[in-house]
Amino acid sequence: MQGKVYLVGAGPSDPGLFTRRGEEILKRAEVVVYDALVGQGVLGMIPREAKLINVGKRASHHTMKQEEINGVLVREAKAGRVVVRLKGGDPFLFGRGGEELELLRAHGVPFEIVPGVTSALAVPAYNGIPVTHREFASSVHIITGHRKAGETLDIDFQSLTKGGGTLVFLMGVRSLPEIVRGLLAAGMPADMTAAVLERGTSAGQRRVVAALGELEDEAGRQGIGTPAIIVVGEVCKLAETFGWYEQLPLFGE
Ligand code: SAH
């Protein structure tokens, strides 16, 4: 019997943001291969009998190499199992979902894709930041701030700055100083509003909003860690007025 791989987006953390299609499939899973960024609430929906494989990747310690992950998916599906490849946010946004599909295709393994709510949009939303707004920004750019050890960032700060849209950097906490420097050097005003949003949509959600020129100091003072996204643009000003999540009666529980 031929198995199948479901590439499923788990959303940013809050289990309420996991799609119904994702949940339906997860309940039928025989093998679940998941990342570090999948929220506890979603992990709690995995059937008890399913085999769990944690390939959790966080900045400093790689648990499993991409080739090994690909190998596991192919092997388990070829053994006839229902395999769910569960990824934080949306599987195609900086999730290497495309690379995994290439191998599945090459081995003739059938697959389906279930999009997820991406942190790039949901984390600002949970912090009261609309990424576009008629008065402030008519485009939004999602950029990876990931940089390999010893290398510099390959980002076109000039065009990002010229574009005038909201900038959302994922995987950028460690390169925050370099991102800020790059934007300032490209002519972004030092008093442009920016934010670092940590552990969004979870009980531990925190945010720092500051002028771009002070963002690094402020994030350092508050000890902001990963996972977090960096947002640059006037829309960040709205967080103060629109911030709503921390005001929920059970916030932090
Ligand atoms: N596919 C994912 C992104 C993978 S890259 C998505 O669509 O959301 C991993 C990066 O996503 C992290 O480094 C961080 O920048 C961001 N991220 C994911 N979950 C987050 C969360 N709950 N809060 C803040 N940032 C998050």
Side-chain angles (χ1 to χ4, degrees), residues 4 27 39 47 70 74 128 141 148 164 188 199 228 237 240 250:
K4 192 165 186 175
K27 285 190 169 142
N70 295 348
V74 171
H141 305 259
K148 292 206 189 107
M188 180 80 79
R199 285 187 284 160
K237 284 195 284 206
E240 211 170 299
L250 290 176

Side-chain angles (χ1 to χ4, degrees), residues 76-159:
E76 295 290 346
K78 291 253 173 193
R81 303 200 173 97
V82 175
V83 182
V84 172
R85 175 69 177 106
L86 197 57
K87 288 167 179 284
D90 181 89
F92 276 178
L93 187 72
F94 303 137
R96 307 187 73 169
E99 291 164 54
E100 290 171 11
L101 293 191
E102 272 167 32
L103 200 87
L104 297 178
R105 196 44 115 210
H107 284 81
V109 173
F111 60 80
E112 273 185 44
I113 300 156
V114 182
V117 171
T118 179
S119 64
L121 302 178
V123 172
Y126 267 50
N127 280 281
I129 300 175
V131 289
T132 67
H133 185 293
R134 293 216 323 187
E135 265 175 59
F136 306 117
S138 57
S139 71
V140 53
H141 305 259
I142 304 171
I143 307 129
T144 169
H146 179 73
R147 139 175 77 68
K148 292 206 189 107
E151 290 180 19
T152 49
L153 283 176
D154 183 21
I155 297 176
D156 184 353
F157 289 111
Q158 292 287 346
S159 25

Side-chain angles (χ1 to χ4, degrees), residues 12-13 37 88-91 93-95 117-120 123 169-172 197-201 227-229:
S13 182
L37 285 173
D90 181 89
L93 187 72
F94 303 137
V117 171
T118 179
S119 64
V123 172
F169 293 90
L170 269 59
M171 298 181 276
L197 312 174
E198 185 196 63
R199 285 187 284 160
T201 86
I229 69 171

Side-chain angles (χ1 to χ4, degrees), residues 29-110:
E30 293 172 293
V31 180
V32 181
V33 181
Y34 68 98
D35 284 342
L37 285 173
V38 176
Q40 287 304 320
V42 173
L43 292 179
M45 296 174 193
I46 298 172
R48 219 178 288 174
E49 322 75 66
K51 176 168 153 192
L52 282 182
I53 304 177
N54 179 357
V55 295
K57 278 188 292 188
R58 289 299 282 274
S60 43
H61 32 90
H62 279 222
T63 318
M64 202 186 263
K65 291 218 167 62
Q66 190 62 48
E67 303 81 67
E68 294 174 61
I69 298 174
N70 295 348
V72 168
L73 298 180
V74 171
R75 198 171 57 238
E76 295 290 346
K78 291 253 173 193
R81 303 200 173 97
V82 175
V83 182
V84 172
R85 175 69 177 106
L86 197 57
K87 288 167 179 284
D90 181 89
F92 276 178
L93 187 72
F94 303 137
R96 307 187 73 169
E99 291 164 54
E100 290 171 11
L101 293 191
E102 272 167 32
L103 200 87
L104 297 178
R105 196 44 115 210
H107 284 81
V109 173

